[in-house]
Amino acid sequence: MAKETIFSKIIRRKIPADILYQDDLVTAFRDINPRAPSHILIVTNLIIPTVNNVTTEHEVALGRLFTVAAKISKQEGISEDGYRLIVNCNRHGGQEIYHLHMHLLGGRSLGPLVV
Ligand code: AMP
């Protein structure tokens, strides 16, 4: 069993969050420090620490991140103008929470990806 994370506590409703969607594989909630008008995190219910830990067994849950991103982008009214999906990995990727998640950002022009 992987070590509990802030996100696993949100998934199990042990700490509060603005949850928009949950199923057996993923949970989506608003980022506590939004960097865009819509900033939503879509998290695997299973604690996968980073993309480096991904295996073929995770492929269904990882695919679900995208179908839920598409669904929520429509709910947020940002699908036509567009949005950005980001997955950070480890220190150089700027990862803060070691529980695999996708950022869905939109509601304004995000400009080019600056690195
Ligand atoms: P990352 O840098 O990819 O690991 O992103 C972690 C994200 O989690 C950041 O954008 C934080 O603002 C967000 N975050 C941290 N704690 C919480 C929380 N309790 N509820 C919602 N979002 C959070």
Side-chain angles (χ1 to χ4, degrees), residues 6-7 10 15-17 29-33 35 39 41 88 94-97 101 103:
I6 292 173
F7 293 167
I10 289 172
I15 60 171
F29 49 89
R30 292 194 191 279
D31 196 292
I32 204 166
N33 179 24
R35 263 52 64 81
H39 186 174
L41 302 174
N88 295 322
Q95 186 173 5
E96 293 171 16
I97 309 290
H101 54 281
H103 295 255

Side-chain angles (χ1 to χ4, degrees), residues 31-105:
D31 196 292
I32 204 166
N33 179 24
R35 263 52 64 81
S38 291
H39 186 174
I40 291 136
L41 302 174
I42 313 168
V43 179
T44 55
N45 291 346
L46 188 69
I47 303 173
I48 306 167
T50 82
V51 174
N52 291 335
N53 304 106
V54 161
T55 70
T56 54
E57 286 173 22
H58 301 135
E59 286 174 355
V60 176
L62 298 176
R64 188 69 59 84
L65 296 179
F66 281 89
T67 49
V68 171
K71 178 186 173 71
I72 291 176
S73 74
K74 289 189 187 74
Q75 282 174 7
E76 292 285 301
I78 62 173
S79 59
E80 293 307 314
D81 283 336
Y83 50 89
R84 182 170 288 157
L85 301 174
I86 298 174
V87 179
N88 295 322
C89 180
N90 277 345
R91 197 160 42 92
H92 282 188
Q95 186 173 5
E96 293 171 16
I97 309 290
Y98 283 77
H99 184 152
L100 200 148
H101 54 281
M102 174 186 277
H103 295 255
L104 165 59
L105 294 142

